[in-house]
Amino acid sequence: MSRLRDIPLSVLDLAPVTTATDARTALADTRELAQHVERLGYRRFWLAEHHNMPGIASSSPAILIGHVAAATTTLRVGSGGVMLPNHPPLVVAEQFGTLTALHPDRIDLGIGRAPGTDQRTARALRRTEGPLSVDDFPQQLSELMGYFDGTEPLAAVPAQGNKPPVWLLGSSGYSAQVAGLLGLPFAFAHHFSAENTIPALRLYRERFQPSAVLTEPYAMVCASAIVADTDEHARWIAAPQALAFLKLRQNRPGPLATPQEADEYPYTEFDRLIIRERLASQVVGSPDTARDQLEQLLADTLADELMVTTMVADQADRLHSYALLAQLADLSHSSERVKTEVEV
């Protein structure tokens, strides 16, 4: 039995900026990708919040969500996610209430508790020199929900009456437990925290309490997947993503390299070890290879939905990868299976 053909398939995009492009091109490519995956039958299209990273143009998810939603008609468009400690909950409520009013039943609000950037940039975002902490996340989340539900003393117009489905995002067990206790859908960042995937999902399901949103747990796993016609070409176009991860670990992020630039990079033996470990949790290969890897991931996680992020330098390769994945998942015949009893 194929779980890949039985669950919804979605996209996480970071609007990658490459050494051969610029931010304007990256944002145009994101719009084109959203229209492409909508035609293919993907369920949702989320934008990630990152700051001070030259290779990522999705620093303003709310603005980009509005742009993508206006250019599509059926995709659910959302944040993957908004890093709540960076923003006043009132502002997030106003932004996503506005988006939901403009695009009813199509907006998702994915919330994370990490800064999504370095500490210096986080201080610039928050306008404080005090110590940075995510310990007040539950209070911030409660305040955000209150603006949508009308229980806060301030009126967040037009949030009240225009509440999008709220997801909690995580890369460890903390948000998994909070999502479970609140009865919210949970999305796990397997693409950069693979070692924590199974423990976090176990915690989510163990701590889950039925709510007005969900009667049972709903977990989505986000995986990095690069699919090409051959294993060799998939490895070739995947090399820039691995190099980007290496540079990020070395605290020198930059635009996404081309495959040729990645091939010519002067790796040390330690660099190659880091990259091998990184690629071990990624899906990279031909359709047959990718199918086997994804089926194994879904069998291990029992995910209710799969989200895929594909960081490659060439837009044509990116579009082709999502098309091949759609064929594997048989999305052309999946219009009914993605309908659930709640708006997740």
Side-chain angles (χ1 to χ4, degrees):
M1 180 178 178
S2 171
R3 294 207 75 240
L4 185 58
R5 290 172 175 252
D6 290 334
I7 63 172
L9 190 59
S10 296
V11 174
L12 174 69
D13 189 52
L14 282 70
V17 182
T18 76
T19 56
T21 63
D22 56 18
R24 178 178 292 184
T25 302
L27 296 174
D29 286 348
T30 284
R31 180 178 184 271
E32 180 186 32
L33 176 62
Q35 294 171 326
H36 177 68
V37 299
E38 179 178 63
R39 291 191 295 269
L40 292 171
Y42 283 76
R43 171 64 166 160
R44 65 186 90 240
F45 190 93
W46 282 7
L47 288 309
E49 177 186 345
H50 290 282
H51 302 278
N52 194 30
M53 298 185 70
I56 296 175
S58 59
S59 57
S60 301
I63 295 174
L64 198 47
I65 287 167
H67 178 63
V68 169
T72 55
T73 57
T74 60
L75 271 181
R76 296 197 64 86
V77 189
S79 56
V82 165
M83 302 296 106
L84 191 55
N86 293 341
H87 311 283
L90 174 62
V91 173
V92 176
E94 290 173 340
Q95 290 175 342
F96 279 80
T98 301
L99 287 167
T100 301
L102 291 171
H103 307 282
D105 301 322
R106 292 188 55 214
I107 303 300
D108 295 328
L109 174 52
I111 294 291
R113 73 183 186 102
T117 187
D118 59 273
Q119 294 294 297
R120 181 177 180 182
T121 307
R123 288 190 180 94
L125 285 165
R126 302 173 195 183
R127 306 306 299 167
T128 177
E129 292 299 324
L132 298 177
S133 173
V134 293
D135 293 339
D136 60 349
F137 178 74
Q139 181 180 346
Q140 290 178 305
L141 183 61
S142 176
E143 181 182 343
L144 174 64
M145 295 294 207
Y147 289 126
F148 286 115
D149 299 336
T151 57
E152 285 290 322
L154 298 177
V157 181
Q160 192 172 348
N162 290 295
K163 180 181 180 180
V166 175
W167 292 66
L168 288 194
L169 281 56
S171 57
S172 66
Y174 180 90
S175 292
Q177 296 181 74
V178 174
L181 291 171
L182 295 178
L184 295 174
F186 177 59
F188 189 82
H190 177 79
H191 59 300
F192 66 79
S193 187
E195 69 278 6
N196 292 323
T197 304
I198 301 299
L201 292 178
R202 184 184 302 117
L203 274 174
Y204 171 60
R205 292 168 179 137
E206 289 174 352
R207 303 298 172 87
F208 183 83
Q209 298 292 322
S211 69
V213 177
L214 290 174
T215 58
E216 58 186 29
Y218 191 94
M220 177 164 63
V221 171
C222 182
S224 172
I226 296 174
V227 190
D229 293 327
T230 66
D231 287 340
E232 181 181 26
H233 188 64
R235 288 191 294 268
W236 172 255
I237 64 175
Q241 176 191 235
L243 177 57
F245 175 76
L246 175 65
K247 288 186 174 182
L248 182 61
R249 280 194 49 150
Q250 297 170 341
N251 197 30
R252 50 190 193 94
L256 190 66
T258 66
Q260 186 66 40
E261 290 168 337
D263 183 62
E264 295 172 352
Y265 185 82
Y267 300 97
T268 66
E269 285 304 313
F270 185 63
D271 291 342
R272 295 185 187 281
L273 175 62
I274 291 174
I275 286 175
R276 282 196 297 270
E277 292 177 349
R278 169 70 173 176
L279 290 176
S281 63
Q282 314 296 298
V283 175
V284 178
S286 66
D288 287 342
T289 299
R291 179 192 296 109
D292 292 343
Q293 294 174 342
L294 288 170
E295 291 288 7
Q296 187 62 56
L297 174 64
L298 294 174
D300 292 341
T301 62
L302 299 178
D304 300 291
E305 185 167 342
L306 176 65
M307 179 166 275
V308 169
T309 183
T310 302
M311 290 286 283
V312 295
D314 187 89
Q315 176 75 344
D317 285 330
R318 190 160 62 140
L319 298 177
H320 189 51
S321 179
Y322 281 111
L324 291 174
L325 186 55
Q327 293 175 10
L328 292 179
D330 195 21
L331 291 188
S332 62
H333 297 93
S334 66
S335 59
E336 292 301 317
R337 77 159 192 247
V338 300
K339 295 179 180 178
T340 58
E341 61 185 42
V342 291
E343 279 190 326
V344 295

